[in-house]
């Protein structure tokens, strides 16, 4: 059912600093103006959504409920 993983030999772990790659990674390209604008627009949208949900959710988190919520609905009055 469960397969045991084979342990890595200690000598391989100890000598891992010797095996460095001689391949250099490609240079990182700078982000273009449209990419920067897109990233900032996505970030601004996320922040606006969080702020909007906080503003709309604050009345529901209020500890003091108005007295109007104690009344029963008109549909349940005849019962």
């Amino acid at each position: 059912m469960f397969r045991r993983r084979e342990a890595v030999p200690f000598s391989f772990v100890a000598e891992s600093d010797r095996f460095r790659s001689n391949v250099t990674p490609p240079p990182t390209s700078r982000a273009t103006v449209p990419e920067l604008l897109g990233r900032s627009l996505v970030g601004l949208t996320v922040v606006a959504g969080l702020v909007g949900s906080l503003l709309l959710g604050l009345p529901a988190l209020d500890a003091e409920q108005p007295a109007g919520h104690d009344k029963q609905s008109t549909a349940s009055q005849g019962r």
Side-chain angles (χ1 to χ4, degrees), residues 4 9 21 24 38 43 45-46 48 56-57 64 73:
R4 289 184 70 182
S21 174
T24 58
T45 304
V46 169
L56 291 175
E64 295 180 17
S73 67

Side-chain angles (χ1 to χ4, degrees), residues 23-51:
V23 178
T24 58
T28 57
S29 60
R30 292 183 53 116
T32 62
V33 174
E35 288 175 344
L36 290 174
L37 288 175
R39 290 177 189 172
S40 62
L41 184 63
V42 167
L44 189 64
T45 304
V46 169
V47 169
L50 290 173
V51 168

Side-chain angles (χ1 to χ4, degrees), residues 1-7:
M1 189 175 194
F2 293 106
R3 291 176 27 175
R4 289 184 70 182
R5 291 185 176 181
E6 294 185 18

Side-chain angles (χ1 to χ4, degrees), residues 8-23:
V8 178
F10 180 76
S11 62
F12 178 76
V13 175
E15 297 174 3
S16 64
D17 57 349
R18 289 189 201 167
F19 301 106
R20 303 244 182 231
S21 174
N22 59 356
V23 178

